[in-house]
Amino acid sequence: MSQWQEEKRTVLEAAQKMSASGLVVGTSGNISLRLPGKQQLIAITPSSKHYDLLSAEDIQIVDFNGHSVEGSLRPSMETPLHIGIYQARKNINAIIHTHSVYASAAAVAGREIPPILDDQVAFLGGEIKLAGHALSGTAEQVNGAIKALGDRSGVLLANHGAIGTGRSMRDAFTACELIEKTAKIYLLALSTGKINLLPPDAIKAVKAIYDKNQSED
Ligand SMILES: [Zn+2]
């Protein structure tokens, strides 16, 4: 049995939960987990496989050069995106890429989501920026997403979807749910014709909670 069995199960369970909760349809989206140790490896969902048919053995182990270490399927097409984010952000241990409806709608409308809610700022770190459109798996996509993500935990990909990150898989999942909830509220509020941003002092106070959680070991 693989020495990464537990980590593969964590990715598998998150993938099934993502599919069941409607954050993706079909085979879209992908999930990865940084593996412990100095080897710089990740466990990631395979390309083009329906989540209900997925088993722990289907989760691929890949090194930071994108080379397969364990598993016989093709890793997700967006593996470079995951590796790029892990390299840029040492405090991220899990990444979930979804095509959730409201986040994608904001990304289609070309809308970045300003700081509008306390939980958005406390958990995602503030605004949800929009990375410009780029083809999946390209360096342009990787660099654009890393830049737009900054030190926060959520980002939108133009005409595509969203990425949620976290120190754990649970946190990354919550990030994806919060991105979706925030996008939904933002688009609904926009439809009334008026948006009130959080006051700057509130943003500052709640951002301090986020920063503290990010820096804790
Ligand atoms: Zn995608």
Side-chain angles (χ1 to χ4, degrees):
M1 194 181 269
S2 166
Q3 64 169 313
W4 306 117
Q5 200 63 19
E6 194 188 322
E7 288 80 4
K8 286 182 178 182
R9 281 223 73 83
T10 300
V11 173
L12 173 68
E13 283 164 15
Q16 289 167 336
K17 198 171 141 197
M18 172 175 77
S19 178
S21 58
L23 292 168
V24 293
V25 294
T27 65
S28 65
N30 34 70
I31 296 187
S32 71
L33 184 69
R34 188 200 293 268
L35 300 182
K38 290 205 169 77
Q39 289 165 282
Q40 300 200 310
L41 302 173
I42 62 168
I44 189 162
T45 46
S47 177
S48 310
K49 182 137 188 183
H50 282 275
Y51 293 107
D52 57 338
L53 301 175
L54 219 55
S55 68
E57 291 68 48
D58 296 330
I59 306 303
Q60 306 295 294
I61 306 294
V62 176
D63 68 20
F64 274 18
N65 294 314
H67 297 136
S68 174
V69 170
E70 203 175 283
S72 54
L73 300 177
R74 200 154 48 88
S76 164
M77 227 171 93
E78 276 148 346
T79 298
L81 184 59
H82 291 249
I83 291 171
I85 293 172
Y86 288 123
Q87 287 177 315
R89 292 276 305 278
K90 308 294 179 221
N91 61 349
I92 289 176
N93 296 314
I95 298 171
I96 302 180
H97 165 51
T98 73
H99 292 174
S100 60
V101 172
Y102 288 92
S104 299
V108 165
R111 294 266 181 188
E112 304 198 309
I113 306 178
I116 50 172
L117 297 162
D118 280 335
D119 59 358
Q120 173 197 359
V121 178
F123 206 86
L124 298 175
E127 63 196 316
I128 308 171
K129 289 201 159 205
L130 176 67
H133 188 265
L135 292 178
S136 290
T138 61
E140 190 191 352
Q141 184 198 40
V142 178
N143 295 333
I146 290 170
K147 187 159 178 266
L149 180 64
D151 69 346
R152 292 169 302 276
S153 299
V155 67
L156 301 176
L157 307 178
N159 299 81
H160 185 160
I163 299 171
T165 67
R167 295 171 66 95
S168 66
M169 188 61 81
R170 179 179 286 272
D171 282 357
F173 202 90
T174 304
C176 288
E177 291 179 311
L178 263 176
I179 292 167
E180 182 65 355
K181 188 197 80 139
T182 308
K184 187 174 184 178
I185 291 169
Y186 182 57
L187 295 176
L188 281 171
L190 265 185
S191 72
T192 72
K194 185 164 188 261
I195 295 282
N196 290 319
L197 301 185
L198 278 174
D201 56 337
I203 295 173
K204 203 173 156 209
V206 185
K207 176 73 161 48
I209 299 171
Y210 174 80
D211 289 340
K212 185 169 181 291
N213 288 335
Q214 290 296 303
S215 61
E216 268 172 13
D217 289 323

